[in-house]
């Protein structure tokens, strides 16, 4: 009935079928699940899964496939039909992976300790010392609780006879457990009937133990644990962010941490907070650019020294990647007998390290039967299937093996078991690998009941998420009571109400600050460009000079205007097109929006879905072919300004007034003030009759034309324009408004610097004291004889002072809250 309903082409005697040995009759432990599934029609399952996929997209559950156009925005691929593992089988797997974790931990302890295994010949010295993952600076380091391996991931595959075999061990920064948790949440929601009746072992107790064990690794009573991520461009960044939130630990990058006096600190807007434990997802050699890899931007300079001093614990311990190699597998059975006094329970797939002469000879003779892999994964070589090699390729591979045998391992090519996958309304059979997880606690080792199932794509048996594979949940069907504990609060339970935002890392505050600055910079640039491009082609000589003066408000260091002669309309037009669309020009509108999207991506876990969507739409709107720019410039700039207005509205109306909002708003006000000063200085420059249209342009750019006309009708006068754009505290576009807002926002920040606050208060007072009535501008056509330019020169000096003050004030803000640099404050206005 099941096969008829879903039309499943399962029968393949050469592989183990997880669902049904004959492709038709479900195995005993699958029968209840199949009966439950039979009560759901294919259409209903499709509707449920459509909702789940929408949830995956809306929640930003992603996996970055390098080279894929979607990049870090690619939705996580999940199949709704779980892999079912019966209790007896799971007990066998659990015992095997726990024994394996204990064995690998002891091997690491010896490698970085007395190295008796090398001295006694149990491990070849060349296998260790040729491995770039062997970190010599960690030799002799004392590891807290001898926990070289805090967690371990073991990849398992089932051979055609039903035996589970180990394909690989992930020892340095195991990934996927967060995805397994998210898979469980989604699949249990899609198939609640089957989940509730299958007595599935829960995952939450494993993560509770994970959190508690990390806290126990610390020496302080109130420990600070952080999760160190490579950043948002890493393929599993979502999982790292999700896991950090679930465990309740801050997610940090290397730049968020600093080492002072051999201690690690987290940079926050409140100051430096001591860090006791680092749960790392960064490969060990990248964790300290001072001691390990000098080209790494992912780690923390001085981390190894802090570990040596015993001031911080890293899980997994640095250097644990040395045994993340298949080359060690042939030696594990003997090492299990020697170190544990018992045989290896869970066998590894047949493996030959070519650094041994007998193994090399066997591999060369049976090259068409094995998969050749790098002995040291850091080499970046892809696995080579001997059966797929042509004669010339076989000879070439044989030559490489002979030339550098220690660099290669060969493994038996396993015919992977298959499981049902829901695809386009039907179930299909696909190859799978089960990744299991083991955790060291204060009471010994425990295993996650289940794990992350990775499934091959439709185009072949290779199981790889990077090559378009899917994932599955794994249900361990238990024969006793299950622990229903959850780290998430259940509905209806008492809840302590909380208000206000918790402290945020300095990097997040820095990115929010620049998100505000880039958004405002893009808006100011778009307004200037729209005003200029609407007039440049028909500009006369006098009007063109006004437009060139307006262009000076960009303060560009990369402008294309000629320096030895007057600019022509074509010169200015080319410059404006470059300013709008040149991606290689750092001060162009397009580059500014690209930077806006970049910092938005760094804030993925802090921005709402709507805000992230707006930032993405803005980047798309600005990417227009150059030949279309002058035809479509108005629509492009209007579209950008509409999206920027929406981002501004989201900032004002949708973001809670915590530290993050303060820095974003300060960034916006600071950037607007800087542009306002540059525009106002054009009014203090020599002014003649030909310059009068510039006043109208400045009002248009500042979106203050209607404000001016409501007060002065159509009469343009520089003093009145200065009053509206500089001194009017009711105009949200005026300089006085920005300085007042900056002073008010700054007073709400923690750890204020008194000198910086006084500097901003002084700037407000200076602006308020400026007497515009002393300015003398000749009306158009009047004789300039006797005109006193002294007051305007004084105004220009004041604006120059404010321009320098804003720059140095911004630098001091960055040093205090973002960089935590040991530098003297920058002299305000100097």
């Amino acid at each position: 009935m099941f096969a008829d309903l879903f039309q499943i082409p399962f029968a393949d005697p050469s592989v183990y079928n997880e669902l049904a040995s004959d492709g038709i009759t479900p195995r005993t432990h699958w029968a209840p699940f199949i009966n439950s599934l039979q009560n759901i029609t294919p259409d209903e399952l499709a509707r449920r899964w459509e909702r789940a996929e929408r949830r995956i997209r809306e929640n930003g559950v992603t996996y970055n496939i390098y080279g894929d156009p979607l990049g870090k925005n690619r939705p996580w691929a999940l199949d709704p039909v779980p892999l079912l593992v019966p209790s007896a089988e799971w007990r066998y797997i659990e015992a095997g992976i726990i024994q394996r974790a204990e064995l690998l931990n002891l091997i690491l302890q010896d490698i970085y300790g007395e190295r008796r295994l090398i001295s006694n010949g149990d491990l070849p010295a060349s296998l260790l010392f040729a491995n770039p993952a062997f970190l010599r600076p960690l030799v002799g380091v004392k590891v807290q609780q001898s926990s070289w391996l805090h967690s371990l991931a073991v990849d398992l595959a089932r051979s055609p006879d039903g035996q589970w075999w180990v394909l690989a061990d992930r020892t340095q920064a195991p990934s996927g457990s967060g995805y397994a948790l998210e898979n469980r949440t989604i699949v249990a929601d899609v198939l609640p009937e089957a989940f509730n009746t299958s007595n599935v072992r829960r995952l939450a107790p494993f993560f509770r133990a994970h959190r508690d064990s990390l806290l126990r690794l610390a020496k302080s009573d109130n420990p600070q644990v952080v999760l160190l991520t490579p950043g948002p461009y890493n393929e599993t960044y979502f999982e790292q962010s999700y896991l950090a939130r679930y465990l309740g630990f801050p997610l940090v990058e290397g730049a968020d941490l600093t080492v002072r006096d051999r201690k690690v600190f987290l940079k926050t807007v409140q100051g430096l907070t001591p860090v006791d434990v680092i749960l790392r997802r960064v490969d060990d050699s990248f964790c300290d650019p001072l001691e390990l890899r000098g080209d790494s931007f992912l780690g923390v300079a001085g981390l190894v020294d802090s570990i040596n001093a015993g001031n911080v614990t890293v899980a997994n311990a640095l250097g644990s990647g040395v045994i993340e190699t298949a080359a060690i597998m042939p030696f594990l059975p003997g090492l299990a007998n020697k170190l544990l006094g018992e045989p290896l329970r869970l066998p590894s797939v047949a493996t030959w390290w070519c650094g041994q002469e007998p193994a090399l000879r066997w591999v060369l003779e049976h090259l068409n039967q094995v998969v050749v892999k790098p002995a040291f994964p850091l080499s970046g070589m892809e696995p080579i299937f001997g059966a797929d090699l042509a004669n010339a390729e076989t000879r070439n591979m044989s030559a490489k093996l002979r030339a550098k045998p220690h660099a290669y391992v060969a493994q038996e090519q396993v015919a992977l078991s298959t499981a049902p996958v829901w695809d386009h309304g039907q179930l299909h059979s696909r190859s799978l690998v089960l990744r299991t997880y083991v955790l060291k606690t204060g009471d010994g080792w425990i295993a996650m009941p289940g794990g992350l199932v990775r499934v091959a794509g439709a185009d072949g048996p290779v199981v790889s998420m990077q090559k378009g594979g899917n994932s599955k949940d794994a249900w361990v069907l238990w024969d006793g009571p299950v622990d229903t504990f959850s780290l998430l609060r259940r509905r209806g339970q008492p809840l302590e109400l909380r208000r206000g935002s918790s402290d945020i890392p300095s990097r997040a505050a820095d990115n929010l600050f620049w998100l505000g600055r880039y958004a405002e910079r893009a808006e100011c640039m778009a307004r200037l460009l729209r005003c200029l491009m609407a007039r440049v082609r028909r500009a006369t000589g006098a009007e063109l000079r006004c437009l060139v003066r307006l262009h000076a408000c960009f303060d560009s260091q990369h402008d294309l205007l000629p320096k030895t002669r007057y600019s022509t309309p074509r010169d200015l037009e080319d410059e404006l097109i470059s300013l709008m669309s040149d991606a290689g020009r750092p001060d162009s509108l397009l580059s500014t929006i690209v930077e806006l999207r970049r910092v938005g991506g760094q804030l993925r876990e802090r921005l709402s879905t709507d805000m992230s969507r707006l930032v993405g739409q803005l980047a798309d709107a600005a990417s227009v072919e150059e030949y279309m720019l002058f035809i479509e410039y108005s629509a492009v700039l209007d579209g950008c300004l509409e999206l920027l207005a929406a981002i501004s509205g989201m900032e004002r109306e949708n973001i809670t007034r915590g530290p993050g909002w303060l820095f974003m708003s300060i960034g916006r006000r600071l950037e607007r003030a800087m542009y306002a000063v540059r525009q106002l200085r054009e009014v203090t420059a020599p002014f003649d009759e030909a310059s009068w249209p510039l006043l109208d342009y400045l009002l248009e750019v500042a979106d203050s034309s209607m404000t001016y006309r409501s007060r002065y009708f159509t009469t343009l006068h520089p003093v009145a324009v200065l009053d509206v754009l500089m001194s009017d505290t009711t105009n949200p576009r005026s300089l006085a408004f920005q300085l007042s807002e900056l002073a008010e926002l700054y007073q709400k920040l923690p750890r204020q610097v008194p000198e910086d606050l006084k500097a901003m208060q002084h700037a407000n007072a200076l602006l308020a004291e400026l007497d515009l009535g002393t300015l003398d501008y000749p009306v158009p056509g009047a004789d300039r004889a006797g005109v006193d330019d002294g007051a305007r020169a004084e105004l220009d000096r004041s604006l120059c002072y404010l321009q320098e003050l804003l720059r140095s004030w911004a630098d001091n803000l960055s040093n205090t809250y973002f960089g935590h640099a040991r530098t003297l404050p920058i002299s305000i206005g100097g």
Side-chain angles (χ1 to χ4, degrees):
M1 178 179 178
F2 182 77
D4 291 339
L5 177 62
F6 290 103
Q7 302 176 4
I8 313 171
F10 274 150
D12 184 354
S14 65
V15 298
Y16 185 93
N17 191 304
E18 298 287 345
L19 171 61
S21 58
D22 57 1
I24 298 175
T25 307
R27 299 182 186 274
T28 303
H29 63 281
W30 276 88
F33 176 84
I34 296 303
N35 291 334
S36 177
L37 202 63
Q38 287 281 32
N39 296 324
I40 307 173
T41 65
D43 288 343
E44 170 62 17
L45 182 57
R47 281 193 293 270
R48 292 185 186 185
W49 189 236
E50 184 180 356
R51 290 196 301 270
E53 289 181 318
R54 184 167 60 249
R55 170 181 169 180
I56 289 173
R57 292 191 299 271
E58 291 176 350
N59 290 350
V61 186
T62 58
Y63 179 83
N64 181 12
I65 295 181
Y66 298 124
D68 188 288
L70 290 176
K72 59 189 177 66
N73 296 314
R74 182 183 180 86
W76 175 245
L78 171 62
D79 179 66
V81 180
L83 172 69
L84 305 186
V85 183
S87 57
E89 192 168 88
W90 176 250
R91 287 189 176 95
Y92 168 77
I93 293 174
E94 185 176 38
I97 59 178
I98 286 177
Q99 183 206 45
R100 197 175 190 91
E102 179 65 25
L103 174 61
L104 294 176
N105 191 67
L106 290 174
I107 294 172
L108 278 172
Q109 190 174 336
D110 179 80
I111 284 175
Y112 287 99
E114 298 179 349
R115 291 208 286 272
R116 291 181 178 178
L117 296 177
I118 301 294
S119 302
N120 298 335
D122 299 300
L123 274 178
S126 56
L127 180 60
L128 175 64
F129 297 119
N131 191 340
F134 175 55
L135 304 184
R136 288 165 177 79
L138 276 301
V139 173
V141 172
K142 301 297 182 182
V143 174
Q144 185 77 1
Q145 300 176 12
S146 298
S147 183
W148 281 90
L149 284 184
H150 174 73
S151 61
L152 169 71
V154 182
D155 289 341
L156 303 177
R158 201 199 292 265
S159 60
D161 63 357
Q163 169 70 50
W164 286 102
W165 297 80
V166 175
L167 293 179
D169 300 296
R170 304 301 177 191
T171 59
Q172 58 169 324
S175 65
S177 61
Y179 283 120
L181 181 60
E182 178 70 358
N183 285 358
R184 171 61 56 84
T185 303
I186 293 174
V187 173
D189 188 53
V190 171
L191 302 173
E193 306 92 344
F195 184 80
N196 292 332
T197 59
S198 297
N199 201 38
V200 181
R201 284 191 64 182
R202 305 301 201 264
L203 302 183
F206 176 85
F207 289 97
R208 172 180 57 188
H210 195 182
R211 182 183 62 186
D212 293 345
S213 63
L214 287 168
L215 294 173
R216 280 198 292 266
L217 287 175
K219 298 179 181 179
S220 63
D221 295 331
N222 187 25
Q224 172 72 282
V225 181
V226 299
L227 195 158
L228 179 62
T229 171
Y233 293 99
N234 184 261
E235 70 267 29
T236 61
Y237 180 74
F238 164 81
E239 182 217 6
Q240 297 157 24
S241 175
Y242 178 80
L243 197 58
R245 288 197 302 269
Y246 189 74
L247 296 175
F249 301 143
L251 181 70
V252 303
E253 295 182 27
D256 295 325
L257 303 176
T258 184
V259 174
R260 305 281 174 86
D261 300 323
R262 306 183 79 185
K263 297 178 181 178
V264 179
F265 294 88
L266 172 63
K267 304 172 188 174
T268 76
V269 296
Q270 296 284 358
L272 296 178
T273 303
V275 172
D276 302 285
V277 179
I278 300 174
L279 174 61
R280 69 180 176 93
R281 294 297 293 274
V282 176
D283 287 352
D284 44 20
S285 61
F286 288 87
C287 284
D288 187 346
L290 194 62
E291 293 281 356
L292 303 176
R293 282 192 58 151
D295 60 345
S296 171
F297 291 94
L298 305 179
V300 188
L303 179 60
V304 169
D305 189 38
S306 182
I307 295 170
N308 278 323
N311 293 326
V312 70
T313 300
V314 177
N316 286 345
L318 296 189
S320 54
V322 70
I323 56 172
E324 191 170 284
T325 167
I328 202 172
M329 287 183 172
F331 306 97
L332 292 182
L335 292 174
N337 285 315
K338 183 178 183 67
L339 297 177
L340 301 177
E342 58 187 26
L344 193 65
R345 295 182 181 181
L346 196 58
S348 306
V349 65
T351 305
W352 297 265
W353 177 51
C354 297
Q356 294 179 305
E357 183 60 30
L360 175 62
R361 287 198 305 271
W362 191 95
V363 170
L364 291 172
E365 293 170 2
H366 301 84
L367 192 56
N368 63 337
Q369 302 174 24
V370 297
V371 181
V372 179
K373 299 179 179 180
F376 313 123
L378 292 177
S379 67
M381 167 188 160
E382 290 290 328
I384 296 174
F385 291 83
D388 298 337
L389 297 178
N391 289 336
E393 293 172 325
T394 300
R395 290 192 296 271
N396 184 43
M397 189 70 246
S398 298
K400 289 182 178 180
L401 291 173
R402 292 189 180 94
K404 204 172 182 180
H406 69 275
Y408 298 97
V409 296
Q411 287 187 320
E412 176 188 4
Q413 185 171 346
V414 180
L416 302 176
S417 64
T418 61
V421 172
W422 176 262
D423 187 12
H424 296 93
Q426 291 186 349
L427 290 178
H428 301 271
S429 184
R430 303 276 168 78
S431 303
L432 67 90
V433 170
L434 171 62
R435 175 167 290 187
T436 56
Y437 298 89
V438 187
L439 174 72
K440 187 171 187 181
T441 71
D443 302 320
W445 297 88
I446 65 169
M448 177 194 290
L452 177 67
V453 182
R454 291 173 296 155
V455 186
D459 55 350
V462 177
V463 177
S464 171
M465 300 300 293
Q466 278 291 323
K467 298 185 182 301
N470 279 16
S471 69
K472 278 179 173 290
D473 190 14
W475 291 4
V476 173
L477 310 179
W478 208 233
D479 53 8
V482 297
D483 186 350
T484 59
F485 168 83
S486 174
L487 284 175
L488 301 176
R489 288 183 178 271
R490 292 184 178 275
R491 297 175 184 174
Q493 286 188 343
L495 187 68
E496 179 185 353
L497 297 179
R498 299 178 182 176
R499 290 184 182 174
S501 301
S502 59
D503 198 13
I504 61 174
S506 293
R507 175 183 53 85
D510 190 7
N511 284 327
L512 285 163
F513 173 73
W514 278 101
L515 185 69
R517 288 197 67 172
Y518 283 132
E520 186 61 34
R521 185 177 299 179
E523 182 175 345
C524 291
M525 292 184 70
R527 290 185 177 280
L528 277 167
L529 283 166
R530 186 172 62 177
C531 180
L532 287 161
M533 294 184 81
R535 295 172 171 86
V536 63
R537 281 194 172 178
R538 64 173 188 270
T540 62
E543 185 180 16
L544 181 62
R545 287 194 294 274
C546 286
L547 294 179
V548 171
R549 283 184 63 175
L550 184 63
H551 166 269
C553 296
F554 286 110
D555 194 27
S556 173
Q557 304 299 313
H558 307 274
D559 70 83
L560 307 179
L561 295 180
K563 305 297 188 293
T564 58
R565 59 176 175 82
Y566 286 114
S567 301
T568 66
R570 182 56 184 268
D571 293 331
L572 185 55
E573 181 180 327
D574 291 342
E575 160 66 3
L576 296 178
I577 290 176
S578 173
L579 260 173
M580 184 173 173
S581 64
D582 188 351
R585 181 171 171 172
D587 62 346
S588 71
L589 176 62
L590 180 58
S591 293
T592 300
I593 290 174
V594 168
E595 287 299 294
L596 174 64
R597 179 170 60 179
R598 180 185 64 80
V599 296
Q602 301 279 347
L603 293 162
R604 189 171 189 167
E605 73 276 13
R606 295 184 178 272
L607 296 183
S608 67
T609 302
D610 289 337
M611 179 70 90
S612 298
R613 188 182 299 118
L614 285 172
V615 171
Q617 290 175 355
L618 179 63
D620 294 338
S623 301
V624 180
E625 295 292 338
E626 185 173 319
Y627 72 90
M628 291 292 294
L629 275 180
F630 219 93
I631 301 173
E632 300 291 341
Y633 80 88
S634 180
V636 171
L637 292 173
D638 286 347
C640 288
L641 285 169
E642 288 173 5
L643 290 168
L644 286 163
I647 291 172
S648 177
M650 292 282 291
E651 174 218 327
R652 287 193 297 269
E653 302 298 333
N654 292 52
I655 300 179
T656 55
R657 279 10 184 197
W661 175 82
L662 284 174
F663 284 106
M664 186 175 178
S665 298
I666 287 174
R668 178 180 287 278
R669 295 299 174 188
L670 183 66
E671 194 70 26
R672 187 176 291 184
M674 289 178 169
Y675 264 86
V677 169
R678 293 205 293 268
Q679 293 165 20
L680 288 167
R681 290 194 63 195
E682 290 302 317
V683 185
T684 64
F687 229 78
D688 54 21
E689 181 176 359
S691 303
W692 224 255
L694 180 62
L695 299 174
D696 197 22
Y697 303 161
L698 291 171
L699 288 169
E700 179 184 326
V701 168
D703 200 20
S704 299
S705 298
M706 291 304 300
T707 300
Y708 186 91
R709 289 171 187 167
S710 67
R711 298 174 184 176
Y712 305 105
F713 300 100
T714 58
T715 304
L716 281 173
H717 195 279
V719 175
V721 171
L722 281 170
D723 183 64
V724 169
L725 300 184
M726 184 177 72
S727 304
D728 185 359
T729 56
T730 67
N731 179 10
R733 293 277 171 180
S734 75
L735 177 60
F737 189 95
Q738 314 316 315
L739 296 182
S740 176
E741 285 289 299
L742 284 171
E744 183 178 342
L745 291 167
Y746 186 75
Q747 291 184 75
K748 297 177 181 178
L749 291 178
R751 299 190 303 117
Q752 303 159 18
V753 178
E755 291 79 5
D756 288 358
L757 178 58
K758 289 177 182 178
M760 193 54 64
Q761 292 171 339
H762 173 67
N764 277 281
L766 175 65
L767 203 59
E769 291 170 1
L770 290 175
D771 185 4
L772 298 181
T774 62
L775 299 178
D776 191 2
Y777 286 91
V779 296
D783 187 4
R784 287 187 52 85
V787 174
D788 182 12
D789 290 339
R792 282 193 286 111
E794 179 62 29
L795 174 60
D796 189 62
R797 283 192 292 272
S798 296
L799 290 173
C800 282
Y801 169 77
L802 291 175
Q803 192 170 34
E804 291 304 314
L805 181 147
L806 290 169
R807 289 173 180 167
S808 52
W809 191 83
D811 289 338
N812 277 358
L813 185 82
S814 297
N815 284 338
T816 301
Y817 293 100
F818 310 147
H820 299 267
R822 289 176 168 175
T823 59
L824 294 175
I826 297 171
S827 176
I828 292 292

